[in-house]
Every structure is written in structure tokens, then in C-alpha cells.
Amino acid sequence: MANRVYTAHLTPDLLDRHLLSLSGTSVRSIGRPEGVATTECPGLKISWPQTDHGRIKKVITRGGTRRRYCVPCFRGGDREAHCEAEEEADAAILADACAGVLFQEQPAMLEFEWRGEMHTHFPDLLVVDGHRREFVECKRDAEGKDFLIRKRAERLKELLPQVGFGYRILTTSTIHRLAYFENAVRMRRAAKAILYEPSWVDSLDTVWSKASPNEVGVSAVAREVLSRIAAEEREDALFSLLFHGHLIADFSEPVTLESAVFHKASCTEGCAWIWKIWSKQC
């Protein structure tokens, strides 16, 4: 189970929890200042939703006939990502599993000029990592080769950097590349099943602070701390610590208790591993 739920039958409560914001209530604003309704530059206008769920359009409706997906967001509190397709839901699972990353589904409406005409586009996700902000469109492999979709992506890549955003297409094969998705599912499952103990984090920091320079980055630091955790909880504890970003690992391979895992302080580059997958595709 990847924690994506096909919604064939919905209770009224599911929709009632995601109504449009009323005056005075909070607005979910990922990747842009709260209260900003539009962002514009020559050839481009971004319209932002002023809603508590942050979506520009309603994906799931009571009378909908198309398949829709709900993804519980374990990093985003009591929230569900509403997705229109399986590949979009799977990309949301990856984004939710990656420490340091925030994301919003159905984040905005893009109106852009192309060949003398205005066009409208609703990207699937907005993914934010510090100052890095990218709109993402998720497609099946065959769709990703479509001429018009590729040309639209080229045009948006020209326009969006003017206002500090990037754009990319993700296809199914990229989303499921190597073991990243498998590890993301296991981290989210552990984050739901077990809460990491503050003592684990304190122990990690203490052992790391005492490590000699030639031990920097070795997995012995994490192994020593994991060995103190009850055997039946050890694997869940490992994935929970990875989910919360206290440990890092090579997620391109299936992570096990035998894998090399490191303290977060050993990461000299950005630790948001999701870009390592997505960099393989435009």
C-alpha cells in the first residue's frame, strides 16, 4: 500500500473539511506570500487560490465520475492532497516523504502568451525547498512525449524564472525510478506507525559530536544509536528518523537496517533527495 486512496465513494465530511476560506480564516500559501492573489511578468500571470486548502480548483466532487486520489500528508498535519491521476498522487507521496520539502497540489492557474495567443494551464504540483520553487506537471510516459505538452513546458521554462519559479514534466518512469518511491512509502508508513523519541535524536547528536574527524559521515554513528532501540522497533525507528530528516541515506537503493545511514550533519549539499530523482527529467 502506498497510502494513496482511490475515492469511489465520499462522505460529505470529506468535502466539508475543504471548503473555500471565509474572511478572517487562514489561507494555505505554499511558495508565495500569504495574501498575494496574482504574480505577473511580461507574458505570464499566475493566479493564486485564496483558500484554506490551497487548491485553485476542486478535484474531488460528490458527483464526479472520473477516478480521483486522496493522499494523506503526514508531514502537513491533518491534510489530504487531492490528485487527479495516479502519477500525480505518487509524486505527492514522494514530496511528502522528503524532509525539508513542502508541496501543494493544484497550486495555481498559469495564463501565458505563446505564439501571439494566451493559454491557460493548471500545473499538478508546486514543490518548495527553501528558495527553490518548481511547478510540476505529472504525465504518463506516452503523454510526456506529446509535442504540445513539450512545447508548453519549454515556454513556461522561459517565463517562470522571471518571477522565481521553475517548471518540469515528470513521467511515471521517473517517479518510480530506482528505489526512491519504495523508500518513500516505507518512511511514510513508519511516520504514521511510530513517533520518534526525542531521546533518539539527542543520542544521535551526542554520538555525532564526539566523533573524531576521520569518522565524519560514517554510518557507525547511526548504528550505535539504533542498537539501543528495541529490536522490534528498530526498523520503524530507522525509517521514522529518515522521514524527519535526522538521518540520511542513499534512497536510490532499498534501505534496510544493514544500509549505510548517516547523521544529517554529514550532508554537505542540500539534503532534499527528491531533486536527485527529478533532475533526470525535464
Side-chain angles (χ1 to χ4, degrees):
M1 290 289 292
N3 295 118
R4 58 176 180 265
V5 181
Y6 161 52
T7 56
H9 302 285
L10 300 176
T11 61
D13 176 67
L14 175 63
L15 293 175
D16 292 341
R17 285 186 281 120
H18 298 282
L19 297 175
L20 295 182
S21 291
L22 301 178
S23 177
T25 61
S26 62
V27 172
R28 180 173 167 82
S29 54
I30 299 300
R32 41 106 181 189
E34 186 172 336
V36 172
T38 60
T39 301
E40 299 185 51
C41 68
L44 174 70
K45 177 181 178 181
I46 305 175
S47 296
W48 302 104
Q50 303 299 305
T51 61
D52 58 2
H53 49 65
R55 293 186 293 274
I56 193 70
K57 61 179 181 177
K58 184 179 288 187
V59 173
I60 296 177
T61 62
R62 291 186 179 92
T65 56
R66 293 178 57 192
R67 297 188 68 169
R68 297 292 188 266
Y69 297 83
C70 285
V71 177
C73 298
F74 302 133
R75 198 180 302 282
D78 184 17
R79 183 178 104 78
E80 292 173 330
H82 290 185
C83 303
E84 295 184 288
E86 185 173 356
E87 55 272 13
E88 181 183 338
D90 288 348
I93 288 172
L94 284 171
D96 187 57
C98 187
V101 163
L102 296 173
F103 80 96
Q104 174 65 56
E105 78 282 8
Q106 315 300 326
M109 178 176 70
L110 310 184
E111 298 173 87
F112 63 99
E113 182 277 328
W114 183 38
R115 294 185 174 180
E117 296 183 3
M118 295 302 296
H119 300 263
T120 301
H121 175 47
F122 295 88
D124 293 324
L125 302 174
L126 172 61
V127 179
V128 179
D129 169 22
H131 295 294
R132 184 170 184 174
R133 304 177 297 176
E134 290 195 2
F135 289 105
V136 176
E137 181 70 6
C138 304
K139 295 294 184 185
R140 293 189 294 270
D141 287 340
E143 293 175 324
K145 298 176 182 178
D146 182 86
F147 176 78
L148 291 178
I149 289 175
R150 307 295 292 190
K151 288 300 180 182
R152 179 178 67 191
E154 290 177 7
R155 179 57 174 156
L156 289 171
K157 286 181 182 181
E158 294 174 355
L159 295 171
L160 282 164
Q162 299 178 77
V163 288
F165 291 88
Y167 184 90
R168 72 175 63 235
I169 298 172
L170 283 183
T171 61
T172 304
S173 59
T174 300
I175 293 169
H176 289 273
R177 178 174 167 263
L178 301 176
Y180 289 102
F181 185 78
E182 172 190 341
N183 287 319
V185 170
R186 296 188 68 187
M187 281 189 284
R188 282 165 41 85
R189 186 179 299 147
K192 180 181 180 182
I194 186 171
L195 292 175
Y196 68 87
E197 297 288 342
S199 60
W200 301 346
V201 181
D202 292 341
S203 296
L204 277 173
D205 294 341
T206 299
V207 174
W208 178 261
S209 67
K210 295 179 180 179
S212 60
N214 62 357
E215 292 178 314
V216 172
V218 299
S219 61
V221 171
R223 288 185 184 281
E224 180 177 336
V225 174
L226 290 170
S227 68
R228 305 174 187 176
I229 301 172
E232 64 272 16
E233 294 184 345
R234 200 167 293 159
E235 187 169 86
D236 278 343
L238 168 61
F239 280 98
S240 183
L241 287 164
L242 288 166
F243 177 86
H244 290 287
H246 297 293
L247 292 176
I248 57 176
D250 179 3
F251 294 113
S252 66
E253 299 180 355
V255 174
T256 70
L257 285 171
E258 304 304 316
S259 299
V261 290
F262 310 99
H263 189 279
K264 62 182 179 181
S266 67
C267 183
T268 57
E269 302 176 353
C271 293
W273 48 265
I274 198 170
W275 305 114
K276 295 181 180 179
I277 323 170
W278 293 0
S279 64
K280 301 299 180 182
Q281 187 158 355
C282 70

